[in-house]
Amino acid sequence: MYIHTSIQHRLALGLAGLALLAAACATQPSEPPRTFHAELEYLKTINDAGPARDPQMIFLLMAQFLNANQAAAGSAYFSAFLERHGREMPGPQRALYLAALALLRGAQAGEVPLLRRSAWVDETVAMLQEAKRLSQGQIYVVRWISGVVGAQLPERFHTRTAAREDLLWCLQHDAEAPDGGWLREAYFQLAALDRDAGDADGARRWLALSGYPGFERAALLLTPFAVNARTGLVFARRQITEIVPGKVFALSGFEFTDYHFVVSRDGSQLIAIDAGTRPAAAQAVYTALKERYAGLPPLTTVLITHAHWDHVGGHHFFRSIAPGVKFYARANYADELRNDLEAPVGRFHYFFGTDFRLENVADFRPDVLVSGPTELKIGGTRIALFPVAGGETSDGMFIYVPEDDVLFVGDFAMPYFGAPFLNEGNPEGMLEAIDLVVRLNPKHLRHGHEPLSRIFNSPALLADLKRHLAWLLHEVLLRVARGETRAQIQRANLVPPFIRDYPDVQLPYLVMREQFINRLYHQHVGYWQP
């Protein structure tokens, strides 16, 4: 059964780094020879089973066709799909497929012969109008695609007035956007419409809001991510969220890592989960939290989920707040720290920025070492610490606050299974740690980075995901035993036969699959040769 409830909010497409070419009448180069795209093959397999129950899978498939420069193949795929399944879909679901097809057709328009092109564009516009009718004009992605495509068509197609209405509707309903990055294109296209209409002031205002310096650009990018040379990558817009009102706070978008804080039961102490990447980032986070909530108690404790660069690098700032701040970490933290210090530091600048200093990681020393399950009481709040092998590092530690029903799990479900450039990571360890998450069954599950908390968002989802990853583990090891290479295993497009019945798992499984296979292969075959 297709469920339309809150459909706009489920379109969390940021993780895919979505790049869409919606220039409906621009001349596009002909499609290159086909190469293998693992994500594209997976998404086709999911959709081949029938209309997707998770709308993300529709638009991620559309995006992968575009990113692979296969707009014509994508247009043919969606056309055939609608021919097979269109009659069985409810209106809103059909609207999503029509909008995706229309955008693919727009990207393909430059390849259509000139004598056929006007009719091609008219058919595409008709698809968008039908998509809006079927969705009663209330689905954000449909209105966005209609506005973006219509704004770029020549005046003779008479779509620009409707496009402006669509784009303004998107701005008025910004809370329904998959993320804030989608607004940039609405601003940009409104700027272009005003420029073409001779309204230079309006064009200047919209362009400033888009963040683009001018009307020339290489691609259309939709993502909540942002990169700054000095401060590095952030995964989400800057935000402070009350996970438990007045008690547990999450701060995202200040730097690469999320920060969490817990107010003790008696209100006398503030407890931090992890210390971030840089002292300056930790200070910005702490200052923002104190400014938003002026009555917060002083920081007394920092609990470290694992000793990676981006979770301990800001410890100097937290120690500077008061001389008695106490840090807790796993007893084997030094092994992980040794890994950190042996890594190729030059690669960090892509993630952490030029302000990152490895010495701020090297001199991290916790005050209390945790070697087994441990229970603390801080300001009347009971906190349980659970060492885990985890999926990313060997020094993982879960931090459970039963009173607030929240579990902090660090990066145990990081899809890289360890830093990409280090010999670490433990797929089997992640599967074992999922059992502990399921046993504790917290209401609030918080990871070390915003996309992880968004995608791997509940014990129930992780329990279902474990079943699929256990199937994958078994399949990979069978193929390793048969002597298949890693490339052969990746090209096999390994998809659990029962995944169709678990729509909530389809995206998390895709996020995990590639690196899960890579780590298993390397660790069971050898890093040097079979």
Side-chain angles (χ1 to χ4, degrees):
M1 178 180 175
Y2 178 74
I3 299 174
H4 176 52
T5 306
S6 301
I7 192 172
Q8 299 93 333
H9 298 287
R10 296 171 61 201
L11 288 165
L13 303 180
L15 192 73
L18 197 58
L20 306 181
L21 286 173
C25 287
T27 299
Q28 300 291 338
S30 59
E31 293 193 352
R34 298 286 173 82
T35 56
F36 181 78
H37 294 273
E39 294 87 354
L40 178 56
E41 293 307 312
Y42 171 82
L43 290 160
K44 285 163 65 177
T45 299
I46 294 297
N47 279 273
D48 282 346
R53 286 184 276 177
D54 182 352
Q56 294 183 97
M57 308 313 288
I58 303 169
F59 289 96
L60 288 173
L61 174 60
M62 176 197 73
Q64 286 300 332
F65 274 120
L66 290 167
N67 291 340
N69 289 322
Q70 294 185 21
S75 178
Y77 179 94
F78 275 86
S79 293
F81 188 93
L82 280 164
E83 186 66 30
R84 289 196 309 274
H85 300 289
R87 293 179 182 84
E88 68 190 71
M89 296 184 206
Q93 188 180 35
R94 181 174 169 80
L96 294 172
Y97 277 98
L98 278 171
L101 172 58
L103 196 143
L104 285 161
R105 285 171 60 96
Q108 185 191 353
E111 302 167 26
V112 178
L114 280 173
L115 293 177
R116 170 83 177 99
R117 193 174 299 173
S118 288
W120 177 273
V121 173
D122 285 337
E123 291 166 8
T124 302
V125 171
M127 288 177 183
L128 288 170
Q129 290 172 342
E130 176 66 1
K132 286 197 290 185
R133 185 191 71 79
L134 289 169
S135 61
Q136 299 180 341
Q138 295 303 305
I139 294 181
Y140 189 94
V141 175
V142 172
R143 294 293 295 265
W144 185 93
I145 290 176
S146 178
V148 167
V149 172
Q152 296 179 74
L153 291 173
E155 195 69 68
R156 68 179 179 275
F157 290 103
H158 307 293
T159 59
R160 296 192 173 188
T161 299
R164 183 183 294 275
E165 292 173 1
D166 288 330
L167 295 168
L168 290 172
W169 184 93
C170 289
L171 298 184
Q172 293 161 3
H173 295 78
D174 60 335
E176 299 174 18
D179 63 68
W182 289 61
L183 300 179
R184 294 188 67 189
E185 189 61 20
Y187 290 133
F188 181 85
Q189 294 301 338
L190 285 167
L193 288 172
D194 276 358
R195 177 200 59 187
D196 294 347
D199 183 355
D201 290 339
R204 206 163 26 247
R205 285 194 300 272
W206 290 124
L207 190 63
L209 288 169
S210 78
Y212 290 108
F215 287 100
E216 298 298 323
R217 57 183 186 174
L220 189 169
L221 300 174
L222 304 178
T223 171
F225 306 164
V227 177
N228 178 284
R230 185 173 60 82
T231 57
L233 174 70
V234 297
F235 283 115
R237 65 181 176 85
R238 186 169 286 197
Q239 57 192 320
I240 302 176
T241 307
E242 290 189 63
I243 306 303
V244 178
K247 298 294 295 295
V248 180
F249 306 91
L251 290 91
S252 302
F254 287 80
E255 62 142 318
F256 189 65
T257 305
D258 279 9
Y259 289 74
H260 295 91
F261 295 88
V262 178
V263 177
S264 67
R265 183 174 185 176
D266 65 7
S268 68
Q269 301 186 51
L270 187 64
I271 303 154
I273 312 298
D274 288 332
T277 306
R278 306 181 312 279
Q283 182 174 6
V285 165
Y286 187 73
T287 300
L289 182 68
K290 298 287 276 189
E291 287 177 351
R292 174 76 66 86
Y293 305 98
L296 289 178
L299 181 75
T300 63
T301 309
V302 182
L303 306 174
I304 300 297
T305 62
H306 62 298
H308 257 174
W309 318 268
D310 51 322
H311 294 262
V312 300
H315 72 98
H316 281 293
F317 170 73
F318 285 135
R319 287 201 183 278
S320 73
I321 294 174
V325 174
K326 189 177 290 187
F327 280 73
Y328 291 74
R330 280 286 300 280
N332 62 340
Y333 84 96
D335 296 336
E336 188 54 45
L337 214 60
R338 197 174 302 113
N339 256 354
D340 292 357
L341 301 180
E342 292 174 355
V345 179
R347 299 192 185 194
F348 292 152
H349 296 317
Y350 290 101
F351 299 103
F352 305 148
T354 55
D355 279 358
F356 173 74
R357 297 289 179 269
L358 192 58
E359 53 265 32
N360 288 330
V361 175
D363 63 2
F364 170 69
R365 298 291 182 273
D367 303 289
V368 181
L369 300 179
V370 178
S371 55
T374 301
E375 190 165 301
L376 310 174
K377 208 159 193 182
I378 300 174
T381 295
R382 185 166 65 88
I383 299 174
L385 307 178
F386 296 98
V388 295
E392 187 178 52
T393 68
S394 61
D395 72 327
M397 186 165 71
F398 285 177
I399 300 160
Y400 182 44
V401 186
E403 176 187 314
D404 296 318
D405 207 4
V406 59
L407 177 65
F408 303 98
V409 295
D411 292 352
F412 97 103
M414 177 64 75
Y416 279 120
F417 296 96
F421 36 76
L422 289 179
N423 178 7
E424 62 179 4
N426 187 344
E428 292 100 328
M430 188 197 72
L431 298 183
E432 293 172 6
I434 286 175
D435 292 336
L436 177 56
V437 175
V438 172
R439 178 168 66 82
L440 295 173
N441 194 30
K443 179 180 179 181
H444 307 287
L445 186 61
R446 301 300 302 177
H447 299 255
H449 301 271
E450 188 274 341
L452 302 182
S453 293
R454 174 161 41 87
I455 293 173
F456 307 106
N457 54 34
S458 74
L461 182 141
L462 286 173
D464 289 340
L465 178 62
K466 180 187 175 182
R467 181 184 176 194
H468 292 74
L469 292 177
W471 177 92
L472 179 62
L473 184 146
H474 178 71
E475 285 293 314
V476 170
L477 295 186
L478 279 179
R479 290 168 183 271
V480 168
R482 291 202 298 260
E484 292 186 27
T485 66
R486 182 169 62 94
Q488 287 174 320
I489 296 172
Q490 291 285 6
R491 288 181 68 91
N493 190 31
L494 297 175
V495 182
F498 42 84
I499 198 169
R500 174 66 185 170
D501 297 326
Y502 295 86
D504 290 343
V505 171
Q506 291 167 1
L507 178 59
Y509 179 83
L510 173 61
V511 170
M512 285 282 187
R513 184 179 69 165
E514 181 181 356
Q515 297 301 333
F516 191 94
I517 292 172
N518 288 346
R519 287 293 185 186
L520 276 177
Y521 183 86
H522 285 312
Q523 292 175 343
H524 287 268
V525 172
Y527 279 89
W528 302 276
Q529 62 182 9

